[in-house]
Amino acid sequence: MTQITLNVNQQPQHCVSPISIAELLALKQLEKKGTAVARNNNIVSKSQWSATYLNHGDTLDIFTLVAGG
């Protein structure tokens, strides 16, 4: 296993590689429903989260829906 650094929502995050998008979201305790992820400025389909492994230096933008009135 290797330590990598990601840029998640403009903040550095250190984690152990290999790690998929789905695993990272689970670590961050984010629900799949209402969440969207862009990796290096490309939207990743939810169906690909488990198969998309992250690399050192990747940039992730994680978007979550917020209900309000």
Side-chain angles (χ1 to χ4, degrees):
M1 293 188 171
T2 305
Q3 181 92 1
I4 62 172
T5 302
L6 307 170
N7 184 355
V8 180
N9 291 347
Q10 301 178 349
Q11 297 293 319
Q13 177 159 348
H14 306 286
C15 53
V16 175
S17 178
I19 187 167
S20 69
I21 291 174
E23 292 167 333
L24 179 67
L25 293 179
L27 284 175
K28 295 180 90 40
Q29 298 179 337
L30 294 173
E31 296 290 326
K32 188 173 184 177
K33 184 177 181 180
T35 301
V37 178
R39 175 183 178 216
N40 300 328
N41 296 317
N42 296 304
I43 296 291
V44 179
S45 170
K46 286 182 185 178
S47 64
Q48 295 299 309
W49 287 0
S50 293
T52 303
Y53 285 85
L54 302 170
N55 299 308
H56 180 75
D58 277 351
T59 297
L60 291 176
D61 294 303
I62 301 172
F63 305 93
T64 54
L65 290 177
V66 177

